[in-house]
Amino acid sequence: MKKVTESQNDTTTKVCACCGQISPLSHFMRRTGKRSSKGSRRGACRSCRQMKKEQPILPTAVAPTKASHTPELSISQRYLPVDIECAPLPKRRIKRALPLPPPRADGLDVGMLKPNRHGLVRMRGRTDNGSRWQQEVDYDMAVTLVKEHAASVVNIHTIRRLYTNRTFRRYILDRDKLTCFFCGEYGDTIDHLLPRAKGGHTTPVNCVCACSLCNQSKAARSLEDFMEESDDL
């Protein structure tokens, strides 16, 4: 068949966009959208569309690699010029243990503390995972914590705990060099000289390293009672 242009067609035929042959309008797909009208067709004819469907998809040819191939380049090395220096990628944040605060030996201005109208002082600090917390404590307890180097004064109504549970334990064990305060043997626990049941607090002044046996033997007794019993034995 002879190729002709679309202008030479009548209203019942159309030139295929692929093969260029004249085919009936029924062999083409209907045109849609703003350009559509009654009897308008578009694209390739029926036979060309069928051939396109039956044509197998060939795999992409891969160039043979040499024995001594070069390492694969990154996207930045592949597409950016050589003379452009790329900014380094940000390092992933790693959650580390909080630094161990030093004991407060001076600058303890307890006199500036003032309780609120309820007789309380705001105390804030951090947990082992770094989360913030705050609560209200008695004025006498706040003064004791500051004097025994467990807290510092932030303002007239607020104190801040210097240690988390984890850092406080590590500080006491390192300070006493893992040596029991009572018997001198190896110790890996913390004991209160003045028991908490009798008003003692968890502070560097009131806590010492102790072995498990001495810790359990002392229990809630005072230091004087426990040491007298140990001397009798």
Side-chain angles (χ1 to χ4, degrees):
M1 298 178 64
K2 187 178 179 179
K3 292 185 178 182
V4 295
T5 60
E6 191 172 356
S7 60
Q8 297 174 342
N9 290 347
D10 53 12
T11 57
T12 60
T13 60
K14 179 178 172 60
V15 179
C16 178
C18 293
C19 62
Q21 304 296 331
I22 300 176
S23 302
L25 284 179
S26 59
H27 291 188
F28 296 89
M29 299 181 66
R30 292 181 179 272
R31 186 182 297 276
T32 58
K34 295 182 180 181
R35 300 178 58 184
S36 63
S37 61
K38 185 177 181 180
S40 61
R41 298 293 188 272
R42 64 180 178 85
C45 61
R46 184 184 303 168
S47 58
C48 292
R49 295 198 307 271
Q50 188 67 24
M51 290 175 59
K52 190 174 182 180
K53 289 182 180 180
E54 295 176 355
Q55 185 178 4
I57 300 176
L58 299 177
T60 306
V62 179
T65 56
K66 298 181 181 180
S68 58
H69 63 280
T70 57
E72 185 179 358
L73 299 178
S74 62
I75 296 178
S76 59
Q77 295 172 336
R78 214 180 309 166
Y79 295 102
L80 293 179
V82 179
D83 55 345
I84 296 180
E85 294 184 359
C86 300
L89 295 176
K91 296 182 179 180
R92 183 181 178 184
R93 288 187 176 181
I94 301 176
K95 186 176 290 186
R96 303 181 184 277
L98 296 176
L100 184 66
R104 301 276 298 187
D106 53 0
L108 306 178
D109 192 3
V110 185
M112 65 181 296
L113 273 180
K114 293 182 180 180
N116 57 17
R117 59 182 180 178
H118 302 291
L120 302 175
V121 175
R122 186 185 302 110
M123 180 174 63
R124 66 190 188 193
R126 288 181 180 270
T127 60
D128 289 333
N129 60 3
S131 302
R132 298 176 183 270
W133 60 265
Q134 79 173 28
Q135 65 183 35
E136 290 184 337
V137 297
D138 295 334
Y139 173 76
D140 295 337
M141 178 180 178
V143 172
T144 302
L145 292 177
V146 174
K147 286 184 177 181
E148 296 186 1
H149 316 305
S152 62
V153 179
V154 178
N155 53 51
I156 60 175
H157 297 299
T158 308
I159 63 172
R160 178 176 64 89
R161 288 294 297 237
L162 298 177
Y163 304 93
T164 65
N165 293 337
R166 187 185 304 167
T167 56
F168 181 79
R169 171 183 168 83
R170 189 170 76 244
Y171 169 69
I172 296 298
L173 296 180
D174 292 345
R175 182 197 65 183
D176 296 348
K177 299 180 180 180
L178 298 175
T179 303
C180 179
F181 176 81
F182 306 104
C183 64
E185 300 294 333
Y186 172 79
D188 57 354
T189 64
I190 296 176
D191 192 17
H192 295 74
L193 298 179
L194 178 63
R196 285 182 293 180
K198 297 183 179 180
H201 299 291
T202 305
T203 63
V205 175
N206 191 46
C207 291
V208 293
C209 176
C211 62
S212 299
L213 182 60
C214 291
N215 199 342
Q216 295 175 3
S217 300
K218 181 177 176 296
R221 289 181 292 177
S222 62
L223 178 62
E224 292 77 11
D225 295 342
F226 178 69
M227 296 303 291
E228 287 178 3
E229 182 180 347
S230 300
D231 294 340
D232 294 340
L233 297 177

